[in-house]
Each structure stands twice: as structure tokens, then as C-alpha cells.
Amino acid sequence: MGFPGTWMTESQSMVYRVVPKCACSTIGQIMFYSDHGRYFDGDIHDATAGIHKWAIEASHAPIENAVRGRQVYAFTCVRNPYARILSSFFDKIAGIQRNGKRYRGNLVPQLAQKYGIKVGSPEDNFDFDQIASFRRFLLFARDTIRWRRPMEPDIHWSAMSGHIGTFIANGGRYNRIFFTEKFNEGMQAVLDDVTTPVAVDVNAVPKFNESEGHGPKRLHKVSDYFDDLSRHLIWEIYRKDFQLFKYDFDDPDNKLPKSEVDLDEVHAKLSA
């Protein structure tokens, strides 16, 4: 299986397991900058040079050797599951993508037909019932993850533990897992632990948010989107994420983790 979703600096200063919707654009740009002294011109997900990615054939051997040999510092970043699934909905379902089109072509019309989801459009200023549509999307997300229908689960709403676990199961080990909610602190800790060709000032890094400004703004606080059924579904889908990454299931409005991640626990529980 190898190491899908894994990026590494060309200098082999650090290796990163991408978790979608967890500041991956910013992390990738920081990695690129730390080697080249400039940011990639465009979306870092589109970069095919200047950074090793598992999706690039020529990067397979360097990444595999680095990860299995455990000579390169490995890290990843996680996010509160409530906020992450909301972000996935507003970006990938309700929003317009960078190419000016809907995500995955006919996905939104399919959701409108099968789940009754309405997301509005730029023409009507995205006028729709955000809470009702999000809850219906959550049913769809659960169906894709639990039964793989009406489609395979998408990487943007698949559990973080699933993404992070493939790296461990194939022979990798993380040196650090930090929180999107404490991004500067966590990313600085990574940079403090490695030696890079170019120094990076985390506080000076611009925000790289590919979805910003292309869809509706969230109108309500997080807890308003999650009634009893929604929270039951969230626990069904993301139980491991809450437990391993120490987020507060009982209070959707508490975005911060309750404690630091226990790396030994993560490796023990995701190694199979």
C-alpha cells in the first residue's frame, strides 16, 4: 500500500502525513518554503516538483526509505471532528471550487435528489437552510463511511484516524501530532525539532486557504448544527478521532482538545 497522502521536503528535513481539512495547504507551503525560501506559486496540492509526494512516482523510494528507516522527523496535524465535518460541508458541498465548478461534478445534484440537500448558489447568495442541509449531508457522509454507498467515502470527511493509521500500519512512526486549533504553537514545535535549509517564521506565514471566499459563510455556532441524532452519527463516524486526539465530544462549541495527544496510544491503537 505504501504511504498515500505523505509529503516530504526535498532536503528530507521532515515528512508529513496529510489529513484533509487540517491546515494541509499551509503546512505544505511551509515545507516548500523551508527548502526553497519562497512559497509555491499556486495551490501546493498542485505542485509536482520542489517537494516529494507519494502521488509522484519518483518520490516513492525517497519517502519509503525515509519513513521505514525512521531517520526523518514525521508529523501530522488534527482538528476537532465537529469543526472538520462542518468545514467539509461548507467547502466541498455548499461551496464553489477553485475551478469555478461544484466539487466532484454531479455530487451535489445527486445529494439533492437522494438526500434532499439544498445548498443555494452564488446567484442567490447561497440562501438555504444551513442546519437542515448539513444534517442531511451528515447522513450521507455516514452512509459512505459505514456502507460505502452511494459512493466510496471522500478523503475530506473520512476519519482522521484512518488517514493517520495508514502511515503507522505500513511502518511509519510519528514524532509529533499537533492541533489545527493551536497551529502556530504546534508547527513551531516541529520546526524547533528539525534543521531546515531556510528558517521559517511561523508567525509571518500567510494563511493558505483554498476554499476561502468561494462559498457561504457559516451563520450559526457549531452546536446549533448538531441535534441528538447528528451527535449520534458523529460519534459513530469519529469515535476514534475524539478518543485518540482528545477532543471534547460533549461540548461541540469547545473546539480545543482536552489534553495533548498520547503518541504511544495512537501508535498502539492504529498499528493494525
Side-chain angles (χ1 to χ4, degrees):
M1 182 176 183
F3 297 96
T6 300
W7 297 352
M8 183 173 70
T9 51
E10 287 189 329
S11 62
Q12 301 197 12
S13 59
M14 63 185 105
V15 63
Y16 161 56
R17 203 317 176 181
V18 177
V19 180
K21 307 308 297 177
C22 298
C24 50
S25 295
T26 302
I27 292 171
Q29 287 282 14
I30 288 172
M31 293 171 70
F32 192 93
Y33 185 97
S34 76
D35 266 357
H36 306 292
R38 62 179 176 85
Y39 297 112
F40 177 72
D41 185 13
D43 185 343
I44 191 65
H45 292 82
D46 297 334
T48 56
I51 187 169
H52 286 299
K53 296 179 176 181
W54 188 257
I56 301 169
E57 189 75 31
S59 293
H60 282 196
I63 289 175
E64 193 155 0
N65 292 337
V67 174
R68 292 222 163 103
R70 298 187 182 173
Q71 301 301 307
V72 178
Y73 189 95
F75 73 98
T76 192
C77 181
V78 294
R79 183 179 185 180
N80 185 298
Y82 284 116
R84 181 170 176 261
I85 188 72
L86 271 171
S87 177
S88 294
F89 171 73
F90 281 101
D91 176 11
K92 299 303 175 188
I93 305 303
I96 305 298
Q97 304 309 295
R98 287 179 299 116
N99 61 8
K101 300 177 181 177
R102 291 286 186 181
Y103 182 59
R104 296 180 71 148
N106 67 348
L107 176 59
V108 171
Q110 187 180 357
L111 292 181
Q113 180 185 358
K114 294 189 174 181
Y115 289 84
I117 292 173
K118 297 176 182 176
V119 293
S121 68
E123 288 71 36
D124 64 14
N125 202 28
F126 298 103
D127 182 19
F128 67 100
D129 185 330
Q130 292 187 355
I131 291 173
S133 284
F134 170 74
R135 290 175 181 173
R136 293 180 179 193
F137 162 72
L138 199 53
L139 283 169
F140 160 74
R142 188 280 308 268
D143 290 350
T144 65
I145 289 166
R146 178 119 187 228
W147 294 295
R148 314 188 87 79
R149 66 171 192 249
M151 57 179 272
E152 291 287 308
D154 186 275
I155 60 171
H156 297 90
W157 53 81
S158 299
M160 296 181 293
S161 53
H163 293 292
I164 288 168
T166 60
F167 186 88
I168 297 169
N170 290 312
R173 184 172 181 87
Y174 294 100
N175 298 94
R176 186 176 297 274
I177 296 175
F178 67 91
F179 306 108
T180 304
E181 294 81 10
K182 298 179 178 180
F183 181 82
N184 283 19
E185 178 185 321
M187 192 70 227
Q188 187 62 59
V190 170
L191 292 168
D192 288 346
D193 287 343
V194 301
T195 301
T196 59
V198 180
V200 182
D201 179 358
V202 170
N203 294 310
V205 174
K207 284 201 170 183
F208 293 94
N209 187 342
E210 61 180 283
S211 59
E212 188 71 31
H214 295 288
K217 301 292 184 197
R218 176 160 62 84
L219 298 178
H220 312 282
K221 64 181 182 179
V222 172
S223 59
D224 288 345
Y225 292 88
F226 297 93
D227 59 3
D228 285 347
L229 174 59
S230 301
R231 291 180 62 186
H232 174 82
L233 294 175
I234 285 288
W235 185 249
E236 182 181 337
I237 301 169
Y238 301 122
R239 180 181 71 254
K240 269 189 182 177
D241 288 356
F242 282 105
Q243 293 171 334
L244 288 175
F245 309 124
K246 312 304 181 184
Y247 285 104
D248 187 351
F249 173 73
D250 296 320
D251 182 4
D253 291 319
N254 177 21
K255 66 180 184 178
L256 294 173
K258 296 190 284 186
S259 67
E260 291 301 309
V261 173
D262 182 334
L263 286 175
D264 289 336
E265 179 189 16
V266 170
H267 287 101
K269 292 187 174 174
L270 297 182
S271 59

